[in-house]
Amino acid sequence: DVKVTQSSRYLVKRTGEKVFLECVQDMDHENMFWYRQDPGLGLRLIYFSYDVKMKEKGDIPEGYSVSREKKERFSLILESASTNQTSMYLCASSLLQGFGYTFGSGTRLTVV
Amino acid sequence: QQQVKQSPQSLIVQKGGISIINCAYENTAFDYFPWYQQFPGKGPALLIAIRPDVSEKKEGRFTISFNKSAKQFSLHIMDSQPGDSATYFCAARGSTLGRLYFGRGTQLTVWP
């Protein structure tokens, strides 16, 4: 069964901490995405990557950065976590043309 | 600016009834329209999808209706069941690198 695996289901961090969210896919997909999901706001794209070391800003990139050193792994970095970054974070991957979009189960991050 | 507008935000339907969720878009370059289903604690999963050269697609109790001239598409769930209670997202694929643009989601509750 193909999978997108996010390293943590729940995470609690303090304000100002540097936070790493990790995502691994085993489908050899070219594209990888990071979304945050908030009630009433749906799925908002933070960053995506269409190739190793390549990245594109999504709709809400402020306060975040990403890293993709290997095709299967895509990391989301919160440089200095703030309480307004408390959210559910979802990783996804897809083929280059956008087919086969597959989501992970999400990481619920709480910043206190 | 929201690329895909989805309504209603929430929907309550009696068991056996028809659930209808609507989406609208403006960008005529969109060329693929999937629907995703998300259960609590899980990531969204592909439910059904349609291309704009087809006006309707049916898979079991789920049907997408597509109106290209009106730039609208909708999901119909026939004979709705309590197990269909979930959040549903419509989406549209842009031409740039296969990115999907998501609606804000509809929380469907089916009462037994």
Side-chain angles (χ1 to χ4, degrees), chain A residues 9 31 33 35 37 40-43 45 48 50 56-59 90 94-99 101 103-106, chain B residues 2 9 31-32 36 38 40-46 51 87 89 93-94 96-105:
Chain A
R9 286 302 304 271
N31 290 349
F33 306 84
Y35 290 86
Q37 182 175 12
L41 297 179
L43 302 168
L45 182 64
F48 68 101
Y50 55 90
E56 293 283 337
K57 291 181 180 179
D59 300 321
L90 288 162
S94 79
L95 295 167
L96 192 60
Q97 288 76 30
F99 295 111
Y101 233 86
F103 283 87
S105 292
Chain B
Q2 199 176 356
Q9 187 171 350
D31 61 359
Y32 171 71
Y36 284 78
Q38 183 183 29
K42 302 286 187 182
L46 179 65
R51 287 188 181 271
T87 300
F89 293 95
R93 187 181 73 165
T96 305
L97 301 169
R99 174 192 166 169
L100 290 183
Y101 294 84
F102 287 89
R104 291 191 174 182

Side-chain angles (χ1 to χ4, degrees), chain A residues 4 25 75:
Chain A
V4 175
Q25 52 98 1
S75 302

Side-chain angles (χ1 to χ4, degrees), chain B residues 2-3 19 38 78 95 104:
Chain B
Q2 199 176 356
Q3 298 270 4
S19 303
Q38 183 183 29
M78 310 300 288
S95 58
R104 291 191 174 182

Side-chain angles (χ1 to χ4, degrees), chain B residues 4-38:
Chain B
V4 179
K5 296 183 179 179
Q6 182 173 347
S7 63
Q9 187 171 350
S10 63
L11 182 61
I12 300 173
V13 173
Q14 210 161 13
K15 179 182 175 182
I18 302 173
S19 303
I20 302 174
I21 304 169
N22 300 299
C23 288
Y25 65 97
E26 287 297 325
N27 189 341
T28 55
F30 289 156
D31 61 359
Y32 171 71
F33 300 86
W35 284 87
Y36 284 78
Q37 180 188 54
Q38 183 183 29

Side-chain angles (χ1 to χ4, degrees), chain B residues 55-80:
Chain B
S55 61
E56 185 175 282
K57 183 173 182 180
K58 184 176 181 179
E59 290 185 2
R61 295 184 295 108
F62 299 89
T63 300
I64 300 177
S65 297
F66 189 85
N67 186 330
K68 189 174 181 178
S69 61
K71 291 183 282 186
Q72 295 175 347
F73 59 111
S74 59
L75 176 69
H76 292 65
I77 307 174
M78 310 300 288
D79 187 26
S80 298

Side-chain angles (χ1 to χ4, degrees), chain A residues 1-57:
Chain A
D1 194 18
V2 293
K3 275 188 176 179
V4 175
T5 303
Q6 295 184 230
S7 54
S8 304
R9 286 302 304 271
Y10 300 95
L11 214 51
V12 180
K13 295 292 182 181
R14 295 195 179 276
T15 301
E17 273 193 81
K18 190 168 186 176
V19 181
F20 293 85
L21 303 183
E22 306 287 343
C23 176
V24 177
Q25 52 98 1
D26 64 1
M27 296 167 282
D28 202 32
H29 280 171
E30 291 86 0
N31 290 349
M32 295 190 75
F33 306 84
W34 276 107
Y35 290 86
R36 65 176 281 177
Q37 182 175 12
D38 300 288
L41 297 179
L43 302 168
R44 292 184 292 167
L45 182 64
I46 304 171
Y47 268 98
F48 68 101
S49 168
Y50 55 90
D51 200 355
V52 174
K53 296 191 185 297
M54 304 304 290
K55 62 184 179 183
E56 293 283 337
K57 291 181 180 179

